[in-house]
Amino acid sequence: MKVLSKLFIVTGFLWLSANALLAQNATITEQQVELKTYPFSDPDPVANIGPIYPYFRFDGYAHNGHLQKWKMVVMENPYIKVFVAPEIGGKIWGAIEKETGQAFIYYNHVAKFRDIAMRGPWTSGGIESNFGVIGHAPSCSTPVDYIMKKNDDGSVACVIGAMDLPSRTVWRVTIRLPKDKAYFETSALWHNPTPLHQSYYHWMNGAAKAGGNLQFFFPGHNYIGHDGSVHTWPKDAQGRDLSFYENNNFGSYKSYHVLEQFTNYFGGYWHDDKFGFGNWSLYGDKPGKKLWIWGLSRQGMIWEDLLTDTDGQYIEMQSGRLFNQAAAASSKTPFKHRAFAPVSTDHWSEIWFPVKNTGGMAAVSPYGTMNIEPFDGQINISLCPLQKIDDELNVKIGGEQVYAKHLTLEPMQVFKDSIFVERKGKITARLGADKIRYSSTDREENALHRPLETPENFDWNSVQGLAIAAKEQAKQRNYSAAMDKYQQCLKKDPNYLEALTGLAELYYRRMEYDKALRSAARALAIDTYDGTANFIYGVINRQIGNRADAKDGFSLATQS
């Protein structure tokens, strides 16, 4: 077998300067940044009863802008610069790769508020944190709490947070920039301090520019819509490759919740700019990977002028705790809404990063982005590191090693090489023990087979079907509809345990404590050890002053 190493190319910084900077810590400052601003009105004086009550809406929007200074927390290391706007929902306003000067997170040079969010005002670009019942969250355009931190390891962080008033849940996001890595991390903590189930919705909503021959790298075999309907990915039923932005020039807005592959990353690459963006998180932390695109017709493109002045159209890349952002119709698919368990806390982390000069994305880890392009007896290898690399890169074909090279690289110092080979077979590439790993059969090996559709013969009018429908309504804060479904369920079976405990919680919400207690007691009469029944029994008894019964219920609940 003939193997030839063709070329070793290094691009990027003057590395002596970069190495000197590595001794420094990352920096964090609070600045006043002037943005042309198109403001919104005072709130409507009447807060409508609905899923976001007691929030008010804002219904007036300016046609003309004026210069306005905004607080901006600026974090910087030798490789990237990150902007956070605590007065505008704590949004990560944008992020820049410093050597190229390009934004890998869309930076909008105006604050152009328009009626898009749950309360109304919303601005495009950056990354917004959504917690609650659905996006865009009530906190997305108003001030949030924040604090700046300098950490002992040389990293810096801006912690943002707020309370979701309808649920009383509290969220925090730590935006952390290491001193020596070309990514930033967002670590979320969400706490439900209440004794009740609350709506559970979380997505990080990031933006990137649409132009530049953009290709999306969202590994998967199918995508689902907000309604849970299933479609093929990346090629649709008409054979269009939807992973290229320009191929989406049909129909209306696009929501692609890509799934069916066990993967930890997604991203995009502007082939014209030789530059891209990406997100990495553990699959179990963020199984939801969504791509959203305005319609490329006039219907969608009018929003370019409505939301920015000079920065052009954008797309959204989003990571979520659920597989999709479920609409009501999704309740009749496997992709239902979730509930936030009483008195519980969730925590997860992810990173956001740039990529350059790779031509695409075939494998990603916190160590960097690798692209492998087999072509006519040649394998082109590209590696854009996100942190310092001092490891062996090995490539095998059909299990036989055909390439090995020790790499010593700084963050964003791109490595490229080509291998000529005279054999075929499965291609694998590995950096170090397992820092970045690629296999040409990843798509098949990591394919998932989770059921995507509810059985056709499932009876939604059965006691189980009605109980599921009730829970789905409650998770969307439609409590009256949930109560109606539970009551329908109990008409069919007065002793259906799941309906009795669910109804007890709804009566408790309505402060109808006698009815709540009767429902919980009936559930315990059926199963005295049921954890959910014991817990709500304890909650109700504590409220009405029956301390011994409350402690009894809580004590048994701790066993579940």
Side-chain angles (χ1 to χ4, degrees), residues 209-215 245-246 269-275:
K209 74 169 187 175
N213 192 15
L214 174 59
Q215 182 180 3
Y245 172 75
E246 296 295 343
Y269 193 83
W270 297 284
H271 289 278
D272 292 351
D273 301 332
K274 298 181 180 180
F275 188 74

Side-chain angles (χ1 to χ4, degrees), residues 420-437:
F420 292 98
V421 295
E422 294 180 346
R423 62 175 298 161
K424 295 182 179 181
K426 175 181 175 180
I427 303 170
T428 60
R430 182 168 295 190
L431 179 68
D434 213 15
K435 290 184 175 177
I436 306 177
R437 182 178 56 189

